[in-house]
Amino acid sequence: KAGVTQTPRYLIKTRGQQVTLSCSPISGHRSVSWYQQTPGQGLQFLFEYFSETQRNKGNFPGRFSGRQFSNSRSEMNVSTLELGDSALYLCASSFVQATVSYEQYFGPGTRLTVT
Amino acid sequence: AQSVTQLDSQVPVFEEAPVELRCNYSSSVSVYLFWYVQYPNQGLQLLLKYLSGSTLVKGINGFEAEFNKSQTSFHLRKPSVHISDTAEYFCAVVNAGNMLTFGGGTRLMVKP
């Protein structure tokens, strides 16, 4: 099976702009989660989508949003970018059975740099 | 919410020596624990998981971990490390709704 794919791999944006990142999960995985990784804060949970619905949300401002499509692909959007949004954004997918999720498999990440 | 603490931020070790990376979790009735590895400029790769059952869990690349409920620990071990094991290792616990909470990471540096 193909792994989790994320596009683009690298992105440079200017403060105030917005950005959309894309994630394609492993075939058959219906849960997609997003994480932000920075040197200062480490790995932090952004949100999780399952069957096109946001099931959980981490402690991030409303500028961070996401969605999931019927084929389980997911996008996350960050509006009004700030310098502090520079990070590696990781997407993870997992198999769900009877609402129980199992281990998460991560993509290679999108490295976002805000200047 | 459950949390994990990785006690060492860096662990230097010589090639072919054994290594233990320490992880402690906050106590809970039931807990699902994971170890992930991250190589430079890559995502996270699942090394092993503890969901239930045997407390000794074997993973990929010769790693294993032992779930110790009384000590609330889930330490990662490898009897003989290679240069290629140089990476950052993360311990994680699942919280409600499939949210992974990670420790701060341990950088394993294998020296020749």
Side-chain angles (χ1 to χ4, degrees), chain A:
Chain A
K1 275 187 183 179
V4 178
T5 58
Q6 292 186 246
T7 56
R9 291 292 312 278
Y10 301 92
L11 208 47
I12 300 175
K13 289 287 188 179
T14 304
R15 263 184 310 176
Q17 289 185 315
Q18 75 162 8
V19 67
T20 299
L21 312 181
S22 180
C23 172
S24 292
I26 292 170
S27 176
H29 286 192
R30 292 163 59 197
S31 169
V32 174
S33 299
W34 289 88
Y35 295 83
Q36 181 196 64
Q37 185 178 26
T38 60
Q41 300 298 318
L43 282 153
Q44 294 185 286
F45 172 79
L46 280 156
F47 29 66
E48 184 218 5
Y49 285 86
F50 172 67
S51 290
E52 303 179 61
T53 301
Q54 187 181 88
R55 279 207 300 191
N56 288 285
K57 190 176 191 305
N59 189 26
F60 278 82
R63 300 185 297 106
F64 291 82
S65 63
R67 58 178 175 168
Q68 186 180 36
F69 302 94
S70 58
N71 62 358
S72 294
R73 190 177 70 84
S74 176
E75 289 180 347
M76 70 163 279
N77 184 77
V78 188
S79 62
T80 319
L81 284 166
E82 300 177 0
L83 294 179
D85 297 333
S86 294
L88 181 66
Y89 290 89
L90 293 163
C91 165
S93 74
S94 61
F95 176 73
V96 177
Q97 187 171 35
T99 75
V100 177
S101 302
Y102 296 86
E103 59 270 22
Q104 296 181 32
Y105 294 89
F106 284 79
T110 294
R111 172 77 62 186
L112 172 65
T113 302
V114 182
T115 62

Side-chain angles (χ1 to χ4, degrees), chain B:
Chain B
Q2 299 177 50
S3 63
V4 291
T5 302
Q6 292 183 244
L7 300 165
D8 307 295
S9 59
Q10 293 187 65
V11 173
V13 63
F14 285 105
E15 195 174 16
E16 298 184 7
V19 70
E20 178 180 82
L21 307 184
R22 297 182 293 168
C23 172
N24 285 95
Y25 63 91
S26 55
S27 63
S28 176
V29 176
S30 63
V31 59
Y32 296 161
L33 291 159
F34 304 86
W35 275 99
Y36 285 88
V37 60
Q38 186 176 36
Y39 299 101
N41 300 314
Q42 294 188 27
L44 301 176
Q45 181 181 10
L46 180 66
L47 272 178
L48 48 79
K49 62 190 178 192
Y50 173 79
L51 302 181
S52 64
S54 173
T55 57
L56 184 62
V57 180
K58 292 192 183 297
I60 62 171
N61 301 340
F63 284 94
E64 64 180 33
E66 185 161 14
F67 173 70
N68 188 319
K69 191 172 182 179
S70 62
Q71 302 288 327
T72 61
S73 67
F74 189 55
H75 299 335
L76 181 71
R77 302 186 183 104
K78 186 170 183 178
S80 175
V81 295
H82 303 287
I83 294 288
S84 59
D85 293 323
T86 295
E88 186 138 24
Y89 292 79
F90 293 94
C91 182
V93 65
V94 172
N95 278 301
N98 203 31
M99 178 183 83
L100 281 174
T101 297
F102 290 88
T106 298
R107 187 171 300 277
L108 176 63
M109 299 174 293
V110 182
K111 300 180 287 186

